[in-house]
Amino acid sequence: MQDFTQKVTGNSSTNCTINHSIHQTLSPTIYILVFGVGLPANCLSLYYGYLQIRAKNELGIYLCNLTIADLFYIFSLPFWLQYVLQHDNWTYDANLCKICGILLYENIYISVGFLCCISIDRYLAVVHPFRFYQFRTIKAAVVVSIIIWGKEILMSWFVFKHADISMDAESHIICFEHYPIKDWEHNINYYRFFGGFLFPFFLLLFSYCGILRVVRKSHGTQKKTKIQIKRLVSSTVIIFLVCFGPYHILLVIRSLFENSCMFAEKIFNIYHFSLLLTSFNCVADPVLYCFSSESTYQNFVKMRDSGLTCLRCLRTKTQVSYQLKTLETLRKSNSVPAVEEPDLIIHHYYKQS
């Protein structure tokens, strides 16, 4: 630890005195919530994506990659939790800091990339069902996934080489952040805003507007179903904007105006609040892109019914062990009442083959 501190002192330091109170109050709560909800939800999402891959559905490739990216970030949350609870003082290895920082930031753009893939896949399936079929195959999905991961790995390597550990005025080792931001970060932030947020957002908007236009003109679609589709698409776009919009806008603001500690101190709380909002993407992804699909919802119902059946079997065995029953009584106790499936919340154009 002493060598690590000496290395930090020799590399970089900052005289900015930042109030990190948001990290001792709001951040731990958000990290614990996202970890507790996001971990099981994404594990189920990974299983559902696997089922879709088995069904030769290219959408399963994108869902699995999206889930893996979310899980990588979720696994880094315990380190960030300890970091903020120790008043923004990194006590682990410097390389581990860089890795956790890359998992935090690059998860945003890997997620955005696969969200765009999902929206384009749905757009092609609904708007051009008999064209561009070659782009809606397992092989094409694998190639696109490799390109997305490769691009982000190269970007991560660039950030890994340039990012260093700094020390604040209180001798706390700051992980993956600089106040004020450094010169090399400006171009990265502009790229993140235009290439990592704005362009994908317009692509997402174009895809779902095309889907809504086709559904609105469809005479065979019930009014109730059209309303459900509109709500689902609207929720997707709104969550995208809420999770990623504030953070990227503040990235540009920091790059344009943050040239002193005074500005960094003023924007610190709102900037880190926007960064916390990006964490909720790990919870929203399984809900919007996995649990809302018809096939995965039916699988969930089957799992639920199987679990209820097992519980009934266990209950029956327990009752048999405590009391002697006639043959007629046993026959009645083993009968399982029919379970009425609820209305499916997904719509016809999201139905997975």
Side-chain angles (χ1 to χ4, degrees), residues 136-272:
R136 299 187 59 245
T137 62
I138 294 289
K139 182 178 179 180
V142 171
V143 172
V144 171
S145 300
I146 292 174
I147 293 174
I148 292 176
W149 281 101
K151 178 180 73 71
E152 294 305 326
I153 289 174
L154 288 176
M155 180 61 64
S156 300
W157 177 248
F158 174 81
V159 175
F160 189 90
K161 289 175 62 177
H162 286 80
D164 54 8
I165 309 298
S166 60
M167 184 175 291
D168 63 7
E170 299 177 352
S171 298
H172 288 176
I173 300 173
I174 307 299
C175 177
F176 219 77
E177 291 182 318
H178 309 97
Y179 307 105
I181 61 176
K182 295 190 173 183
D183 294 336
W184 66 269
E185 293 181 276
H186 289 78
N187 292 333
I188 293 292
N189 290 343
Y190 293 139
Y191 164 77
R192 285 174 173 173
F193 177 77
F194 290 104
F197 169 73
L198 199 60
F199 175 74
F201 170 69
F202 283 118
L203 196 60
L204 194 79
L205 201 61
F206 170 80
S207 300
Y208 285 129
C209 284
I211 291 173
L212 290 177
R213 186 169 55 252
V214 170
V215 172
R216 185 172 58 252
K217 294 180 180 179
S218 175
H219 299 289
T221 305
Q222 297 179 357
K223 183 178 179 180
K224 180 181 178 181
T225 302
K226 290 182 179 180
I227 294 175
Q228 290 175 332
I229 294 174
K230 183 178 179 181
R231 288 177 179 175
L232 185 60
V233 170
S234 301
S235 300
T236 303
V237 175
I238 290 173
I239 289 178
F240 186 91
L241 282 176
V242 171
C243 288
F244 301 127
Y247 169 71
H248 286 90
I249 291 174
L250 289 170
L251 271 183
V252 175
I253 292 175
R254 288 190 67 192
S255 298
L256 290 174
F257 303 107
E258 186 174 306
N259 52 15
S260 65
C261 289
M262 182 179 299
F263 187 87
E265 294 167 9
K266 291 180 179 179
I267 204 173
F268 180 86
N269 283 341
I270 187 173
Y271 170 75
H272 279 270

Side-chain angles (χ1 to χ4, degrees), residues 20 24 82-89 168 170 172 174:
H20 300 89
Q24 280 75 59
Q82 183 176 359
Y83 173 68
V84 298
L85 289 177
Q86 293 178 336
H87 300 274
D88 285 22
N89 186 26
D168 63 7
E170 299 177 352
H172 288 176
I174 307 299

Side-chain angles (χ1 to χ4, degrees), residues 298-314:
Q298 290 175 340
N299 287 329
F300 179 79
V301 172
K302 291 178 182 178
M303 291 175 61
R304 181 201 64 184
D305 293 344
S306 299
L308 292 175
T309 303
C310 292
L311 289 176
R312 292 189 183 98
C313 292
L314 291 174

